[in-house]
Amino acid sequence: MGVLTNFTPSRVEEWSSIDAEHFQVHERGETWAEVTEGNGKSWERARYEWDPSANRVTVTTRDSVPFGSGGWQFQMTPTDNGTRVDVRLERHPTSLKSKVMSSIIPFAGPVFRKSFREPLHTT
């Protein structure tokens, strides 16, 4: 949960899909944060909310280029070997471009797994 809810400047070092020029924390509370993050090709403004007792992080995407609104849910389950992280992604595209781009998401599982593997792996 720590790497998902770290909104310090080191976030751009942990997540290769986020660069410093496209990372901004707008507001932050004890169990939530409103941020813009991404890179020159894609970014999203989202509200992160987390519940440590439920081992869950919910991300509500307010706006995104090129995908539109939607969100993510990360559910963490402790295992004997660490933690299993189940990820659910939902998008609500409105423009033609976001509809086309969103249509490839179901086939992009390996790309998402690779982008999450490094930041979510701890020793």
Side-chain angles (χ1 to χ4, degrees):
M1 183 167 297
V3 73
L4 290 168
T5 61
N6 172 13
F7 296 102
T8 67
S10 68
R11 186 170 183 83
V12 300
E13 297 165 13
E14 294 171 338
W15 294 92
S16 61
S17 59
I18 302 171
D19 62 37
E21 296 80 30
H22 295 89
F23 177 63
Q24 181 180 2
V25 178
H26 302 283
E27 294 182 79
R28 192 163 142 186
E30 189 174 318
T31 58
W32 63 274
E34 179 97 16
V35 301
T36 298
E37 58 190 353
N39 55 57
K41 295 179 183 177
S42 67
W43 59 266
E44 67 180 26
R45 180 165 180 160
R47 180 179 175 93
Y48 283 72
E49 297 181 48
W50 54 93
D51 182 349
S53 64
N55 293 321
R56 183 179 308 119
V57 176
T58 302
V59 183
T60 303
T61 304
R62 310 274 193 227
D63 190 17
S64 172
V65 170
F67 299 108
S69 65
W72 301 80
Q73 186 175 75
F74 298 87
Q75 181 66 52
M76 288 142 289
T77 306
T79 68
D80 291 339
N81 299 324
T83 303
R84 176 187 166 115
V85 180
D86 292 300
V87 181
R88 193 179 109 218
L89 171 62
E90 185 177 311
R91 291 292 186 197
H92 306 284
T94 54
S95 71
L96 177 60
K97 182 178 181 179
S98 65
K99 288 177 182 180
V100 170
M101 294 299 292
S102 292
S103 70
I104 66 168
I105 289 175
F107 306 103
V111 173
F112 285 124
R113 276 192 293 280
K114 183 180 177 186
S115 70
F116 291 142
R117 184 173 289 124
E118 188 63 33
L120 295 179
H121 178 59
T122 59
T123 56

